[in-house]
Amino acid sequence: MTGSGASARRPRGIRGWIDAVVFDLARQMRWTFLPPLMVYFAAGFSGLTGIVGTFFVKEYLDLSAAYLAGLAFWAGLPWALKMPLGHLVDIMWRWKWLLVYLGAGLIGLSMIIMYLVITQTAMMEAIMPVSAWYITSFLLSPCGLVIQDAVADAMSVEAVPRVDAAGEPLPEEQSRALHVTMQTLGRFALISGTVAVAAMNIWMFRGIEAMDASAKAETYATIYLLALSIPLVSVSGVVLAGVQKYRARHDMLRKGLSEAETDALFERPDEDTKPNPWYFIGGGAFVALTMAVGLGQVPYGQEIVFAGSMAIVLLLMRQLIAVLTPAQARALIGTATIIFMFRAVPRPGDGIIWFNIDVLGFDQQFLSVLSLITSVLTLVGMVVLRPMMASRPIVWIVAMLAIAGGVMTLPNIGLYYGIQNVTAPLTGDVVDARFIAILDTAVESPLGQVAMIPMLAWIARNAPESLKATFFAVMASFTNLALSASSLTTKYLNQIFIVTREVTDPATGAVSIPADYSQLGILLIVVTAITVGVPLLVIWLVQHSRLRTKD
């Protein structure tokens, strides 16, 4: 219930705060929200293989931190294709569920490849090297996820009911509130998937420090086999959406509404979205550029693809914002610029993970515990900060995130410089190191996933009805392209400040690459300065220009 009457009856003090933060969110939940939430949950659950992948690379593959950062760049590029995918969803609105099946197939294939690589190594290696199989699997998964995510965004719009139980249109204020709630719950479901992942990893990795190589490989294979539940969950969400729609439509027909009246209530009034060829031309140009550069082994290929992708994305964004008023367009450009620069800052890279494993003694199970703490704190932070997201401007939220991002690296910097001999494993200091890691997580997690929610809510309120999925996809492509920029800058920093972990020959035990963490400290300091300084500078510049945003 909304309105002043509901506000007047709301309890005050701590009970009122709990009611506004927790129970009000639960009251706005609708069963129609569940199908897209299942697809979002599957996306979060896709991180099930993250820790396994880290240890698989470390134990079986000779890939450098810079190479892995470059690989992350390629894996992030499919998300730039969300624009033509989102527009495709708007066009084939009634048949969008088919894309979920396609995405599920790609994700399932990715998991099957890694399962066979671990369990049938000789057979797979006879076809092509293990590193090539890993790269193929690594790239297939984000392709499937981006397809499903584009559909989930559209489903999140469709899930918000337009009518009440009597078939009457919902008031505009209530409809707006439900859209905001849907987007918040979508992020909540995404992080809930990571909570489930962390809990499962803790259970799967119990006692792994005492396992031999074959037992570890069996555990890794089991996790990849369990990961086949990821596409199953997303497909189940689509099936549930179809069942809900059928039952709701049937109920309206039983109440005496005609076929035409029922279709008007449960189908988008403008199903025949007019295709804009520029989105597909841009998508085709993106694929052509990527394949030409990648297959041609062109020098600075990643940089060329990024620059070309950015040009294509900006061209398509121009097509999209043409339907907005000048004030809305300026606000959206300013907001997107701020969020882009916030997400484009570099990360330390895999070197800090190797340091935590080799020097601090963090094993698979503790990293799973840390992941669980991260996810739980993020969920709590999203619920607690929801009123703030509704009342504070986006620029304020991003500024706080930038500062928090800098603060979260300080314990790691202090820990690194507090260790006198970084080449020898720690013994008594491991407990202190783990405490600092948990403290670091407590600083980072609550604000880590809130930057996008205000923008998604803005789109839900302001985007034209016939272009909802396209708007979601365009802005997601632009901001996710920032992650590719982050991978590039991460690669550059790892090429300047070189960090290596020890690599040994599995057969002889001879060390082929010695561990060297001597430059990790300065790398962390540089990353911290950029993480805080760049976003704050961009916020100041945008807020002192015509692109100033008050949302």
Side-chain angles (χ1 to χ4, degrees):
M1 185 175 183
T2 59
S4 58
S7 300
R9 289 190 294 271
R10 181 172 294 165
R12 297 184 178 182
I14 186 65
R15 291 180 57 194
W17 181 83
I18 295 175
D19 182 82
V21 169
V22 181
F23 296 118
D24 184 60
L25 184 63
R27 282 193 295 266
Q28 295 187 48
M29 176 64 184
R30 299 292 187 273
W31 282 112
T32 54
F33 292 178
L34 189 56
L37 294 182
M38 293 175 68
V39 182
Y40 284 131
F41 178 86
F45 197 67
S46 65
L48 178 63
T49 59
I51 293 178
V52 173
T54 297
F55 278 85
F56 181 84
V57 170
K58 183 179 182 298
E59 296 170 3
Y60 294 95
L61 303 180
D62 182 14
L63 301 177
S64 68
Y67 183 88
L68 291 172
L71 186 60
F73 168 85
W74 292 108
L77 285 180
W79 291 94
L81 281 176
K82 274 199 72 175
M83 287 189 296
L85 284 173
H87 196 54
L88 180 63
V89 170
D90 275 325
I91 294 171
M92 54 181 294
W93 190 262
R94 291 176 183 241
W95 305 98
K96 57 185 178 293
W97 53 271
L98 291 173
L99 294 175
V100 175
Y101 284 89
L102 174 60
L106 294 175
I107 296 170
L109 180 59
S110 171
M111 303 309 164
I112 291 173
I113 286 174
M114 289 306 300
Y115 176 78
L116 292 176
V117 164
I118 295 174
T119 60
Q120 305 292 331
T121 307
M123 179 190 73
M124 299 295 282
E125 201 166 18
I127 301 173
M128 62 182 187
V130 170
S131 58
W133 281 118
Y134 172 78
I135 293 170
T136 301
S137 173
F138 190 82
L139 296 178
L140 277 176
S141 186
C143 290
L145 288 171
V146 69
I147 293 172
Q148 292 196 342
D149 192 67
V151 181
D153 289 339
M155 291 173 65
S156 71
V157 176
E158 190 178 44
V160 176
R162 300 186 203 168
V163 297
D164 57 21
E168 296 295 326
L170 291 177
E172 182 179 352
E173 181 182 354
Q174 185 178 0
S175 177
R176 185 186 304 115
L178 288 174
H179 274 292
V180 174
T181 299
M182 176 68 249
Q183 298 307 322
T184 302
L185 290 174
R187 303 308 102 187
F188 195 92
L190 189 70
I191 305 304
S192 295
T194 66
V195 171
V197 164
M200 185 172 291
N201 276 329
I202 291 172
W203 180 71
M204 292 297 298
F205 287 133
R206 67 193 188 283
I208 198 168
E209 67 279 354
M211 295 181 183
D212 57 20
S214 61
K216 287 182 180 180
E218 184 178 351
T219 299
Y220 295 169
T222 301
I223 291 176
Y224 278 109
L225 192 61
L226 289 173
L228 288 174
S229 60
I230 297 167
L232 180 62
V233 171
S234 57
V235 168
S236 299
V238 172
V239 173
L240 178 60
V243 172
Q244 289 180 343
K245 189 173 183 179
Y246 171 81
R247 293 185 61 183
R249 190 175 186 277
H250 185 67
D251 288 343
M252 289 301 171
L253 290 174
R254 287 176 53 192
K255 292 179 180 179
L257 273 69
S258 66
E259 291 277 352
E261 291 172 330
T262 303
D263 287 341
L265 291 174
F266 290 98
E267 300 293 349
R268 207 168 59 177
D270 40 15
E271 289 275 346
D272 55 343
T273 299
K274 184 178 180 180
N276 185 332
W278 282 106
Y279 292 108
F280 302 107
I281 293 172
F286 170 82
V287 173
L289 174 65
T290 302
M291 293 185 64
V293 173
L295 297 178
Q297 300 293 315
V298 178
Y300 301 101
Q302 294 174 358
E303 290 79 2
I304 294 172
V305 170
F306 174 77
S309 301
M310 177 62 75
I312 294 170
V313 169
L314 292 177
L315 174 65
L316 299 184
M317 282 185 66
R318 183 178 180 182
Q319 295 287 318
L320 189 65
I321 63 176
V323 302
L324 298 175
T325 66
Q328 287 178 325
R330 287 194 296 269
L332 184 59
I333 292 172
T335 300
T337 301
I338 291 172
I339 294 180
F340 179 92
M341 295 307 301
F342 166 72
R343 297 180 64 142
V345 296
R347 309 302 304 160
D350 286 337
I352 185 64
I353 301 177
W354 297 339
F355 177 80
N356 290 338
I357 295 171
D358 290 341
V359 179
L360 302 183
F362 293 179
D363 57 17
Q364 293 93 325
Q365 188 177 46
F366 178 72
L367 290 177
S368 300
V369 171
L370 203 61
S371 177
L372 178 62
I373 294 172
T374 300
S375 300
V376 170
L377 288 177
T378 301
L379 289 178
V380 173
M382 289 175 64
V383 173
V384 172
L385 297 175
R386 186 173 66 97
M388 181 198 73
M389 288 186 284
S391 60
R392 295 280 187 173
I394 295 177
V395 293
W396 187 90
I397 296 172
V398 174
M400 293 300 298
L401 287 170
I403 295 172
V407 170
M408 78 182 187
T409 62
L410 295 181
N412 282 326
I413 295 174
L415 180 62
Y416 173 83
Y417 283 106
I419 297 174
Q420 298 298 319
N421 184 5
V422 299
T423 60
L426 298 182
T427 53
D429 293 335
V430 171
V431 175
D432 294 335
R434 294 189 176 193
F435 174 77
I436 290 176
I438 293 173
L439 179 63
D440 179 20
T441 298
V443 172
E444 172 189 8
S445 302
L447 294 177
Q449 290 289 330
V450 302
M452 290 298 293
I453 293 178
M455 174 171 281
L456 294 174
W458 189 96
I459 293 173
R461 294 195 309 268
N462 296 286
E465 191 68 27
S466 62
L467 292 172
K468 293 289 188 184
T470 307
F471 258 86
F472 277 119
V474 166
M475 300 316 300
S477 295
F478 181 65
T479 54
N480 282 318
L481 195 57
L483 299 182
S484 295
S486 177
S487 296
L488 280 177
T489 52
T490 299
K491 182 186 76 169
Y492 298 148
L493 289 180
N494 275 268
Q495 290 173 341
I496 297 172
F497 307 105
I498 299 176
V499 178
T500 60
R501 89 285 196 191
E502 182 179 283
V503 178
T504 59
D505 188 307
T508 65
V511 177
S512 57
I513 300 178
D516 182 4
Y517 297 108
S518 59
Q519 298 189 58
L520 180 59
I522 187 63
L523 172 63
L524 292 173
I525 292 174
V526 172
V527 168
T528 300
I530 297 175
T531 298
V532 178
V534 170
L536 294 182
L537 176 61
V538 172
I539 288 173
W540 185 86
L541 292 173
V542 168
Q543 292 300 93
H544 286 79
S545 71
R546 296 177 66 242
L547 302 179
R548 176 183 175 86
T549 175
K550 297 181 180 179
D551 285 340

